[in-house]
Amino acid sequence: MLGLFLARDLLVFALFWDLMLLPVFFVLIGWGVTRTAWRYLIYNFPAVLALLFATAAFGVLDGSRT
């Protein structure tokens, strides 16, 4: 979570944002609700990919201005 708030690049921010979904998955597995955990992962995976690709496309189209 620290990486999310310390990210200085939009792509790194999106990557850490996506990585924050994994602890929730493992907590759900730990609680014994494996079906819910897999549904959580499957339903969030397309959103994760969309956010990552949109962030990368924004970086390619807009370029770096530093």
Side-chain angles (χ1 to χ4, degrees), residues 18-30:
D18 296 341
L19 287 176
M20 283 192 339
L21 296 175
L22 290 177
V24 176
F25 173 74
F26 290 124
V27 166
L28 287 172
I29 291 286

Side-chain angles (χ1 to χ4, degrees), residues 8-63:
R8 302 181 104 192
D9 187 7
L10 186 60
L11 188 60
V12 175
F13 174 81
L15 186 64
F16 277 111
W17 179 268
D18 296 341
L19 287 176
M20 283 192 339
L21 296 175
L22 290 177
V24 176
F25 173 74
F26 290 124
V27 166
L28 287 172
I29 291 286
W31 281 344
V33 284
T34 56
R35 184 175 172 141
T36 304
W38 282 107
R39 281 186 181 176
Y40 170 80
L41 196 65
I42 289 171
Y43 289 146
N44 281 315
F45 189 69
V48 164
L49 288 180
L51 177 68
L52 200 57
F53 287 143
T55 305
F58 179 74
V60 167
L61 294 176
D62 191 40

